[in-house]
Amino acid sequence: MLYALGGFVALKSLNLLALAVASAVAAVAPSVPAATRGSDPLPLTLVAGGAVLDPVVAGDLVYIPSGRIVSTWDYSNPAAPRRLAATGETPTDGAIRGLTRWGDYLYASWQAGDDSGGVAVYSLRNPQRPELVNQFSDYAEPSYKSLWTLAAANGYLYLFDNENGIYYGDLAPDPLHPSFTRLLRTPVPYERSSVAGDRLFASGTTNSAEPLHACIVLDVTDPGAPVFSSAGCGGGDSLELFRSRIQLPLSVAYGLKLSLFDVSDPSQTTVLGAIDTPPAMDGFVAGDHAYSLGFAGIDIHDISDPLAPVTVGHSTLPTLGASSVTALGQGALLLTSTDRFTQLDVTDPLHPAAVGTATPLGGAVANDVAIVGDKAVILQENYGLGIADRRTLEPLARFDADLPEALNQRAIEQFAVDGDRAYLAAWGYGLVIADLSNPAQPVELGKLEYFYPSAVAANGDFVYLGTSTNGGVMQVVDVSDPAHPVARGALNVTTINRMQVHGHVVYAADELSGVHVFDVSNPDAPVEVGLWNDGCTDTLGMSAYDIDLNADGTLAAVACGTGLHLLDLSQPQAPVRVGGYTIDYWTARPTAAIHGDRAWFADAQGLLEFDIGTPASPIQVGAATTMAYIQPRRLRATDDGRLFAFAYGTGMHVFGTAADGEPTDRIFADGFDAAAPSESISTYDDLDEGFLGQSYTYNGVTYGEVNGIGGVFPDGSTFEPIDVGDELVVENAAILYPDFPDFGSAPNALTFGTTYIGGENFSIGALVRVKMDLAQPADSASFDLAFYENGPWGGIELHLDAYRNGALVGGDQLTIANGGGRDNVTTATLSISGVEFDQLKFYATYDGQPSAPRVMIDDLTLTPAR
């Protein structure tokens, strides 16, 4: 990978040959080790995260492709978007490159690392949970494919293959596997496409010596006979115009320029105005303004005169790593590789606002994981650390390293966790130290500027940085005062890919030399005391790419160009190969891991597991597990019994289950054919009318934190806690039910406040807030509401929020009607489904401040999570 820094080009990896020819090398069957046990591959439990692409929006549902999966999000409340489902148990056969919808199906284009490509078909019989129902790759005869975007229009599916051409097929005869016809062959990798009426727009960059940005138009009025429009939709230099977005009547291109084109007339495209802008990855139009999203925020341009656009403002909202921008209403949905899914509102054109931000499971560019207490700490290349639930991997928090707003100055490929600290190697900046003593809230302790570190190891008061850019260095850093880390001694080597430390010995995998052994007992004068390379170097001269140590530092697993090597480290200065697994094909950048009596080796051909109870005679366990034939960057075996594989672009792959015996995918907990858990309904009818106190447990729900705060009413008046009371109240509301037969179950309801009137009447109390802790997690909840509307209550919002382990995971809300006149009684329902939660919070607000409408609830219905 090449990055331009400070006017010169820094070479991040020396292995250019490996990167250049990796996709062109055909696989050859590996040699079989001394023994093989079993034939099944490793159990792939979950695939999560990966590179984010343009979503499909269907009402309140948003389908987001990332890596090898599609996730469904509910945006009915933009301030609290909810992830409803993901297809992580059924990944596609390659990295998804595009997503489209027609009728009751989603179609995803995918490309694998073995140069195969195809289409995945998802059924939307349950729109909230797309189901993978087919995959096919025979749309074109050649086996070599380079499939990019796809689009559905007028009942046909259009595929854009950079190698074989543009194809189209009728979905009516067989929506699961249509037949395709080639329209023409084209050398342009069209990476984005969209449909507007009878026109299909696709854009990308040519592969010519002087790349050009291209934007084409297909007339699909007759979808079985698509016709190219000679007008196109705007093109130019690939740097000046990076990405095109179609928002009729305009085509807008973003990059180093903002360029406007009028495409309202299908027969011609009119070039409008253009202005130079700061670098932008994407953008959108809302009204008379265009918004270009760059590395340090949003630049705002007045396009009321499209012939003379003018830059009129800038917003510092974080947009670094903008991967996709989809115009929605008076704003846009922004998806970034820094794991921010942000709903933007530009109702005030010069002051964009972030309505709500969500975090995807797994992350866009995850590189490693460490288990710290009950949290999974996931290394995220573009910003720092993602904090997740150890078992479910649900996002809980994040740590954003204080680094420049540029991806190349971050590039955090590796980290080391030692004790309660994490040490992050940011390639374009240096060392970042984070405190994990409270893993749910990491805090930055200090930084050290040190260019191009790509490897890191840590032990006690010392951290060891390794570089491979412009020559290799092993640098000792004193972190005894983490706020002021100090560089101590250093050694020059050819290159360093990965490092491990045990005691005062550092081992470094060098892709050009083998495994270096450094004695660092004197931090000011480290010494190389050994170099191992016993059969590690392959025929292309490539050597050790990765190294991992067992817990006591006596055995190492080394990934070389020739396969897996197990090294006895009982004499650290003289490692001895005691066993391994030799491959007889060329491979690029393999990775390895070791834990207990198991070792793993992975490259683009797949992942292999070995029983190393006898290191001299490793036994292959099961068959190879492929990960879309895409090279994983890191393997990590954790103490809870799982193996994680991280692949650039295709996300985090999880093998096995957590040590507590509960699978990461909870569906397996009950078995495929287990009965669905029965719901519980709290009717309150078996309770006596009266006060329950400030806290009460009933039917598996503990109610508490009732009211206890002041607030405002819509007329501007205020109230104090004493005015609304803090008691739970069972109210005999029998008089209400005949008038509202669909509400709850007679005679009792639950209300709140400071008083009630006994008997079959209707005394309804004040609600400011109430918390409900569940004895066991649930995945759906609902209850009926009776409340006053109009009068003094109009405009108050009632909220129901769901939490899991303290993190907001879903919600529902309604706004009380404001019809004027006298207040009157009405009923409604609030509900949450599709997420797992262990706590509910029910509360009222007006204009963002607490309020206190008169409310009662009945028939709280909970469905236990599987």
Side-chain angles (χ1 to χ4, degrees):
M1 188 177 297
L2 293 175
Y3 288 128
L5 286 178
F8 66 94
V9 172
L11 180 60
K12 191 174 182 186
S13 170
L14 292 177
N15 195 357
L16 288 179
L17 176 61
L19 294 176
V21 301
S23 64
V25 176
V28 181
S31 59
V32 180
T36 301
R37 184 169 64 230
S39 58
D40 294 331
L42 288 172
L44 178 59
T45 308
L46 178 71
V47 177
V52 180
L53 300 173
D54 287 349
V56 168
V57 179
D60 290 333
L61 295 179
V62 178
Y63 303 102
I64 299 178
S66 62
R68 300 173 64 193
I69 69 170
V70 175
S71 56
T72 309
W73 292 73
D74 179 357
Y75 269 83
S76 56
N77 178 8
R82 299 180 293 151
R83 192 182 73 254
L84 302 179
T87 60
E89 301 85 18
T90 55
T92 55
D93 289 338
I96 296 177
R97 284 182 163 174
L99 186 70
T100 190
R101 179 188 179 187
W102 188 260
D104 294 329
Y105 296 95
L106 290 173
Y107 298 90
S109 55
W110 56 262
Q111 183 70 35
D114 63 348
D115 297 323
S116 63
V119 177
V121 186
Y122 299 88
S123 169
L124 295 177
R125 60 181 179 179
N126 179 353
Q128 292 188 347
R129 297 180 179 273
E131 176 186 358
L132 182 66
V133 291
N134 194 33
Q135 294 192 75
F136 60 86
S137 59
D138 58 355
Y139 64 89
E141 291 184 3
S143 59
Y144 177 83
K145 296 178 173 66
S146 183
L147 184 57
W148 288 68
T149 189
L150 79 173
N154 292 344
Y156 273 65
L157 187 63
Y158 298 83
L159 309 179
F160 294 83
D161 184 314
N162 178 45
E163 176 66 22
N164 300 294
I166 300 175
Y167 291 79
Y168 60 98
D170 188 351
L171 293 171
D174 184 0
L176 299 184
H177 194 166
S179 298
F180 288 87
T181 301
R182 186 162 76 176
L183 178 63
L184 85 165
R185 187 168 181 174
T186 173
V188 180
Y190 292 107
E191 61 167 359
R192 294 291 195 281
S193 60
S194 61
V195 175
D198 292 329
R199 288 187 287 170
L200 189 162
F201 302 86
S203 60
T205 302
T206 66
N207 290 328
S208 59
E210 295 182 2
L212 294 176
H213 179 74
C215 189
I216 63 167
V217 183
L218 279 177
D219 184 338
V220 293
T221 304
D222 179 354
V227 178
F228 271 99
S229 167
S230 59
C233 46
D237 182 275
S238 63
L239 291 178
E240 288 189 337
L241 305 182
F242 174 74
R243 181 161 295 161
S244 291
R245 292 294 185 182
I246 310 300
Q247 289 181 250
L248 294 180
L250 294 176
S251 170
V252 185
Y254 304 88
L256 295 181
K257 282 183 177 294
L258 174 78
S259 296
L260 306 176
F261 306 88
D262 184 343
V263 293
S264 58
D265 184 348
S267 65
Q268 65 177 358
T269 292
T270 302
V271 178
L272 302 173
I275 53 173
D276 293 333
T277 66
M281 298 295 291
D282 212 330
F284 68 98
V285 169
D288 288 336
H289 292 82
Y291 300 83
S292 56
L293 280 63
F295 299 99
I298 304 173
D299 291 292
I300 307 164
H301 317 282
D302 185 333
I303 59 170
S304 55
D305 180 359
L307 295 176
V310 180
T311 300
V312 292
H314 178 81
S315 168
T316 58
L317 284 176
T319 60
L320 180 66
S323 299
S324 169
V325 182
T326 302
L328 286 177
Q330 194 63 20
L333 176 61
L334 167 63
L335 311 177
T336 76
S337 65
T338 60
D339 295 347
R340 296 182 189 275
F341 289 2
T342 303
Q343 181 90 18
L344 298 174
D345 185 290
V346 292
T347 304
D348 181 346
L350 299 184
H351 299 93
V355 177
T357 298
T359 301
L361 188 149
V365 196
N367 280 331
D368 205 346
V369 66
I371 305 300
V372 181
D374 63 347
K375 303 295 188 292
V377 180
I378 304 172
L379 179 65
Q380 301 291 350
E381 178 168 310
N382 289 346
Y383 61 92
L385 303 174
I387 311 302
D389 180 89
R390 177 188 69 84
R391 179 179 54 80
T392 66
L393 303 176
E394 286 289 337
L396 301 176
R398 58 186 286 150
F399 166 75
D400 287 86
D402 183 15
L403 293 171
E405 292 289 315
L407 296 181
N408 62 347
Q409 292 196 269
R410 294 163 180 250
I412 310 169
E413 294 184 0
Q414 295 186 30
F415 77 160
V417 175
D418 183 56
D420 59 4
R421 294 182 193 168
Y423 301 93
L424 288 64
W427 179 82
Y429 181 87
L431 175 67
V432 179
I433 307 173
D435 179 6
L436 297 179
S437 55
N438 178 2
Q441 294 181 320
V443 177
E444 186 170 302
L445 296 176
K447 293 195 295 287
L448 174 70
E449 289 192 52
Y450 190 91
F451 276 148
Y452 314 135
S454 55
V456 61
N459 185 25
D461 287 339
F462 295 97
V463 168
Y464 307 94
L465 297 177
T467 72
S468 59
T469 301
N470 299 339
V473 177
M474 194 284 293
Q475 175 69 58
V476 182
V477 180
D478 187 334
V479 292
S480 55
D481 179 1
H484 302 93
V486 177
R488 303 278 291 268
L491 281 172
N492 293 326
V493 293
T494 47
T495 184
I496 294 178
N497 295 72
R498 185 91 64 187
M499 293 194 300
Q500 301 291 340
V501 59
H502 185 75
H504 63 275
V505 179
V506 171
Y507 303 90
D510 179 340
E511 67 183 85
L512 297 179
S513 301
V515 175
H516 298 277
V517 184
F518 305 116
D519 183 337
V520 292
S521 54
N522 181 351
D524 293 310
V527 179
E528 181 166 356
V529 295
L531 175 65
W532 173 86
N533 190 344
D534 180 8
C536 182
T537 302
D538 62 23
T539 56
L540 293 178
M542 309 315 296
S543 191
Y545 294 95
D546 197 6
I547 183 170
D548 196 20
L549 306 186
N550 65 356
D552 61 9
T554 60
L555 192 66
V558 180
C560 296
T562 54
L564 174 69
H565 299 264
L566 301 175
L567 307 186
D568 181 348
L569 302 178
S570 57
Q571 299 294 323
Q573 71 278 9
V576 176
R577 185 185 190 276
V578 294
Y581 170 76
T582 303
I583 58 176
D584 54 10
Y585 60 91
W586 181 83
T587 188
R589 312 192 74 79
T591 182
I594 187 171
H595 194 282
D597 63 355
R598 288 290 190 271
W600 296 267
F601 175 86
D603 62 7
Q605 303 306 313
L607 168 65
L608 293 171
E609 179 179 14
F610 299 93
D611 182 336
I612 59 169
T614 303
S617 303
I619 300 172
Q620 182 179 328
V621 181
T625 302
T626 62
M627 289 172 282
Y629 295 98
I630 294 173
Q631 170 67 50
R633 308 173 78 183
R634 178 64 165 146
L635 296 179
R636 173 70 73 179
T638 55
D639 289 339
D640 60 10
R642 289 177 290 183
L643 180 72
F644 292 77
F646 300 88
Y648 193 90
T650 56
M652 179 172 68
H653 297 60
V654 186
F655 299 89
T657 59
D660 57 12
E662 188 170 5
T664 303
D665 176 11
R666 295 181 60 90
I667 193 171
F668 293 100
D670 296 322
F672 284 107
D673 51 356
S678 59
E679 63 185 19
S680 66
I681 303 176
S682 297
T683 65
Y684 315 107
D685 295 332
D686 57 341
L687 300 175
D688 294 331
E689 184 181 33
F691 293 115
L692 297 177
Q694 295 174 337
S695 177
Y696 191 78
T697 298
Y698 174 73
N699 201 20
V701 179
T702 299
Y703 301 80
E705 293 186 7
V706 181
N707 298 345
I709 54 176
V712 301
F713 291 106
D715 64 3
S717 61
T718 62
F719 62 89
E720 299 298 327
I722 194 172
D723 299 325
V724 292
D726 57 3
E727 294 269 336
L728 294 156
V729 182
V730 174
E731 165 66 4
N732 182 342
I735 193 172
L736 174 71
Y737 292 89
D739 292 333
F740 297 92
D742 294 329
F743 170 75
S745 55
N748 289 350
L750 183 69
T751 190
F752 319 90
T754 186
T755 188
Y756 75 98
I757 300 174
E760 298 181 359
N761 49 54
F762 184 68
S763 51
I764 182 169
L767 168 80
V768 184
R769 64 179 184 179
V770 62
K771 181 181 72 171
M772 308 175 205
D773 290 315
L774 312 186
Q776 68 179 102
D779 58 23
S780 71
S782 66
F783 55 68
D784 291 344
L785 291 164
F787 56 95
Y788 283 123
E789 64 176 355
N790 302 328
W793 320 108
I796 294 176
E797 293 182 340
L798 295 173
H799 308 260
L800 178 63
D801 288 347
Y803 290 80
R804 177 63 167 156
N805 296 325
L808 180 66
V809 295
D812 194 10
Q813 70 179 57
L814 64 85
T815 302
I816 296 176
N818 187 15
R822 184 179 176 82
D823 54 354
N824 61 276
V825 179
T826 189
T827 61
T829 299
L830 289 177
S831 63
I832 295 172
S833 63
V835 293
E836 184 176 311
F837 52 88
D838 52 27
Q839 184 184 81
L840 296 170
K841 293 183 180 180
F842 178 39
Y843 59 100
T845 63
Y846 179 77
D847 198 23
Q849 300 182 66
S851 196
R854 299 285 176 165
V855 175
M856 60 173 48
I857 70 172
D858 201 3
D859 284 6
L860 170 62
T861 303
L862 297 169
T863 302
R866 286 182 177 270

